[in-house]
Every structure is written in C-alpha cells, then in structure tokens.
Amino acid sequence: MLLSFVKRHQPYTAQEMTQAEAKASDLVSRVGPTLWPWQPGALADVADHWEGTRGSDSLWIEWHQGTVKSLSHPASPGLLAFYLSLKGGRGFLRLYTYEHEVRLDMAPGLVHVTSRGKPLGSIRPSITTQTISDSTGQPIGRYQRFKGSLVSTNYGPVELCGRTVGEVNILVRRRDALFDHAPRPVIRNLLPDLSAEEEDWLLAVLALELVYNAFRYHRHGSL
C-alpha cells in the first residue's frame, strides 16, 4: 500500500506517458470521425451526462474515456469524446469535437490548457473560484464553480474579460447518477456572440468538470 501511494504521487515516467498518449490517440482515431458535426450553437446542445468506461493501467494510473451526448440528437455517437489519464493529482485530458481538440495538462495547483494546437492559458483550481489566465499568465477571468451534488441543477458562471460568457454545471456518468433525470444542457445562458477563444475556454471548463467527476468517483486525488 505504501509503495502504491508513493508511486501514485510521483510524476509519470516516460513509458507511462507514452502508453497513455497512445490510448488517447487511439480513441480519437476510432471515435473522432463518428462524432456529430460541431456547428454554431453546439455548446448549448451538450448534455450534462457522459457515457463510457473507467479502468486502470496499474495500481496508480487510471483512465476514463467516453462521449458526451447531444441533446437534440441523443441517438448519435455524441458531440464530444474524451480520454482522461490520472496519476494522483497529475495527468491529462484530451477532449475532441468533430473539428478540433482541447487539452488539459494537470499538475497539483495548476491546469495548462491547449486548444487548436496552441497554448490557450491556464486554470488555477480552488475550492470554489477557479482563476483563468491567458498564455502569458495574466489573469483574464474566473470560473465560480458550484460545488454541488450529483443531481444539482446549480450552474457556475464563467467570466472572461469582464463579461459572463456562460454558466457550467457538473458532469456525471449517466450510470452513476443517484437519481435519473431528463438530460439538461451542461452549459446554459451562453452569450450569442461568443468568440472562438471564449468557446474554447467554455470547453476547457467542461473538460475540467470531467476531471472533477473522476476525482469524485475514486476520491484518490485533487488538483
């Protein structure tokens, strides 16, 4: 047990990271082309449940992978696909749409965000307010996260450059929900004139909620 605890809180080895990246790339090659096309207004169509599987590569590395469905086309393969690898408070998440990818690289106390192949910035987690900074490290906003239950209908606002661009709810795996309910949008009250960068930040916050969902499930780590 002590060895497992020590291993879990050490950085990935080069071999561990190579294996995790290969699994993430395999997912996008298989699932990415089947996703529902990403169109204007797609953010408002993303459901608050994900469907997929969880597993582990060792006693200290676990993975979560799946899709997030469309509200308007629930029978489709999904609007988003993701692969999450976690080792204690470290790891990465790759979130795919039909068109592009948002990536989170997690270390204790800081989450680096990459989108469309370029650094977008970072998110500094805390119990409630997550500070959002641009690629130079300059704070540009925050995510006032609501820390609620698995059946919460409370949403937390995402503020960027002085304006609230949308509100984000928690994400849960459908089979883990304590009480089933009709799918709701995971993001609501979206501004009608979102820029590509604002949309990418909202996807990054959505991806962060998938990370928090993994921590809630196993309670083995934190950011």
Side-chain angles (χ1 to χ4, degrees):
M1 292 297 293
L2 177 60
L3 176 61
S4 177
F5 177 85
V6 171
K7 288 281 191 180
R8 180 177 294 166
H9 289 82
Q10 291 179 339
Y12 284 73
T13 66
Q15 181 179 6
E16 289 170 343
M17 184 57 71
T18 297
Q19 291 175 344
E21 293 280 12
K23 288 189 174 183
S25 296
D26 176 67
L27 176 72
V28 72
S29 66
R30 289 185 293 103
V31 179
T34 72
L35 293 174
W36 194 254
W38 191 260
Q39 300 172 346
L43 273 177
D45 193 36
V46 180
D48 63 348
H49 286 91
W50 67 274
E51 298 181 8
T53 56
R54 295 182 168 106
S56 60
D57 294 325
S58 64
L59 292 175
W60 45 86
I61 297 178
E62 67 180 56
W63 52 263
H64 306 246
Q65 67 177 30
T67 58
V68 186
K69 294 290 188 175
S70 159
L71 290 169
S72 61
H73 298 85
S76 71
L79 273 171
L80 305 170
F82 74 94
Y83 185 91
L84 167 63
S85 177
L86 281 175
K87 185 180 184 182
R90 295 178 172 85
F92 69 89
L93 185 147
R94 294 174 65 176
L95 181 75
Y96 306 99
T97 74
Y98 187 81
E99 294 183 350
H100 74 289
E101 172 186 344
V102 172
R103 178 184 175 114
L104 307 185
D105 286 285
M106 289 87 67
L110 193 64
V111 178
H112 291 283
V113 183
T114 304
S115 181
R116 305 176 195 270
K118 299 179 180 179
L120 185 63
S122 62
I123 303 174
R124 189 172 295 279
S126 71
I127 294 177
T128 54
T129 302
Q130 328 284 302
T131 301
I132 298 173
S133 300
D134 64 18
S135 59
T136 69
Q138 181 68 29
I140 58 170
R142 63 180 183 170
Y143 170 36
Q144 192 71 33
R145 184 171 185 263
F146 177 81
K147 193 175 182 181
S149 70
L150 294 184
V151 293
S152 169
T153 57
N154 292 274
Y155 289 72
V158 178
E159 300 175 16
L160 293 170
C161 300
R163 67 179 193 160
T164 300
V165 296
E167 298 174 340
V168 180
N169 197 4
I170 62 173
L171 263 166
V172 298
R173 189 170 66 160
R174 191 166 185 84
R175 63 184 294 183
D176 297 333
L178 297 180
F179 303 98
D180 198 16
H181 63 265
R184 299 181 295 253
V186 70
I187 305 177
R188 71 178 186 184
N189 293 337
L190 289 159
L191 290 182
D193 58 342
L194 289 175
S195 66
E197 182 174 321
E198 289 170 336
E199 183 174 286
D200 289 351
W201 273 118
L202 286 166
L203 283 171
V205 171
L206 184 156
L208 188 62
E209 283 298 335
L210 288 165
V211 179
Y212 283 131
N213 177 249
F215 286 143
R216 278 197 304 270
Y217 182 74
H218 281 302
R219 298 185 182 279
H220 80 288
S222 61
L223 292 171

